[in-house]
Amino acid sequence: MHTEIAIVARAGRSPRVTASGGLAVRQTGIDTVHLISTAATPLGGDTIDVRVFVESGASLHVETVAATLALPARHRIDSTMSWTIEVAEGARLFLDPQPTVVAAGADHRTVTDIVAATTSTVIVAEHAQLGRREETPDHAARARWRGSLRLDVGEMPVLRHQLALGGPDGTGHRAVSSVVRYPDERAGDVSPHAYAARLELPRPAGVLGATLTTGLASSAQAARVLCDELDLAPTAV
């Protein structure tokens, strides 16, 4: 199954949305939308393409009603979800979906591409976990997740990041939670007690500061707690 979603936010107007495939979009606030599953997706072989455009001066919050469950199909185990995001001058975007849970035997990839104007505000979170709650660690070890994140600000590259859970290239952890923020003038920081860090990202000429905060743990809930401890520390923009 191929799913396509487009969300366009305009200042002073309700977001314009179109959707086809296994997801729908519902407006749940003046500038808030939630993605809702209408079919079992992603299964092996499925692709999900979400495009978000926040026009100049507009504000948009994007969330999901429930976690995304990636399952293997009989003949294919791989699936992909892509986010293509553009945030214009003076616009604000907050994207915080529920975790992606990759069931045993599935291989799921998430790709997030963000192009932001220098005067925009961008907060994009991502959460992933290998294995459902009832699956044993041995079963969860058969799952794979890979995430890539790209952020350009004012046509300048700010972030190129990849992370994997499971497989030979994995981190050795079962779950990850991450948040990228622009602008954010805080310095980097590292948790003294767990696998969590806030990275101060490169700052090209004419571009404000930005950060990437990541937490790794045995569950998406625990990873999010670690991530939030650093990401929500004082002086966040």
Side-chain angles (χ1 to χ4, degrees):
M1 180 188 297
H2 178 62
T3 297
E4 290 189 358
I5 290 175
I7 305 170
V8 179
R10 296 177 175 177
R13 301 177 64 179
S14 295
R16 186 176 75 242
V17 302
T18 60
S20 64
L23 293 174
V25 183
R26 297 289 183 266
Q27 184 175 353
T28 53
I30 295 175
D31 59 0
T32 302
V33 297
H34 278 75
L35 274 59
I36 302 172
S37 177
T38 59
T41 189
L43 301 176
D46 286 359
T47 57
I48 302 172
D49 185 3
V50 182
R51 297 181 179 272
V52 178
F53 180 35
V54 190
E55 295 186 353
S56 179
S59 179
L60 179 66
H61 286 221
V62 181
E63 303 179 44
T64 59
V65 170
T68 297
L69 179 61
L71 293 165
R74 179 175 297 178
H75 301 295
R76 291 187 62 174
I77 64 171
D78 60 299
S79 56
T80 301
M81 184 167 189
S82 299
W83 295 84
T84 304
I85 298 167
E86 185 174 348
V87 188
E89 297 286 349
R92 298 175 60 91
L93 171 67
F94 175 77
L95 169 62
D96 187 15
Q98 294 292 318
T100 295
V101 178
V102 186
D107 186 340
H108 184 73
R109 183 184 181 194
T110 302
V111 180
T112 306
D113 290 336
I114 307 167
V115 176
T118 55
T119 60
S120 67
T121 300
V122 177
I123 303 172
V124 173
E126 183 171 46
H127 320 285
Q129 175 181 302
L130 298 184
R132 290 171 285 188
R133 181 171 298 178
E134 64 271 19
E135 292 177 341
T136 66
D138 287 343
H139 281 86
R142 295 169 48 213
R144 304 284 186 272
W145 177 88
R146 291 166 292 160
S148 65
L149 172 61
R150 185 186 74 173
L151 170 64
D152 290 351
V153 179
E155 299 183 355
M156 299 296 292
V158 172
L159 176 64
R160 302 290 188 269
H161 183 259
Q162 295 189 52
L163 190 143
L165 301 175
D169 300 325
T171 64
H173 293 83
R174 189 171 171 178
V176 61
S177 178
S178 68
V179 179
V180 61
R181 286 181 179 265
Y182 174 84
D184 191 351
E185 303 293 346
R186 294 174 297 170
D189 196 7
V190 177
S191 170
H193 308 298
Y195 292 94
R198 184 178 66 239
L199 303 180
E200 182 180 4
L201 301 180
R203 184 186 305 195
V207 175
L208 300 174
T211 61
L212 172 66
T213 305
T214 304
L216 297 167
S218 59
S219 70
Q221 181 179 6
R224 181 159 192 165
V225 169
L226 295 177
C227 184
D228 285 350
E229 286 177 353
L230 291 177
D231 178 59
L232 301 180
T235 73
V237 174

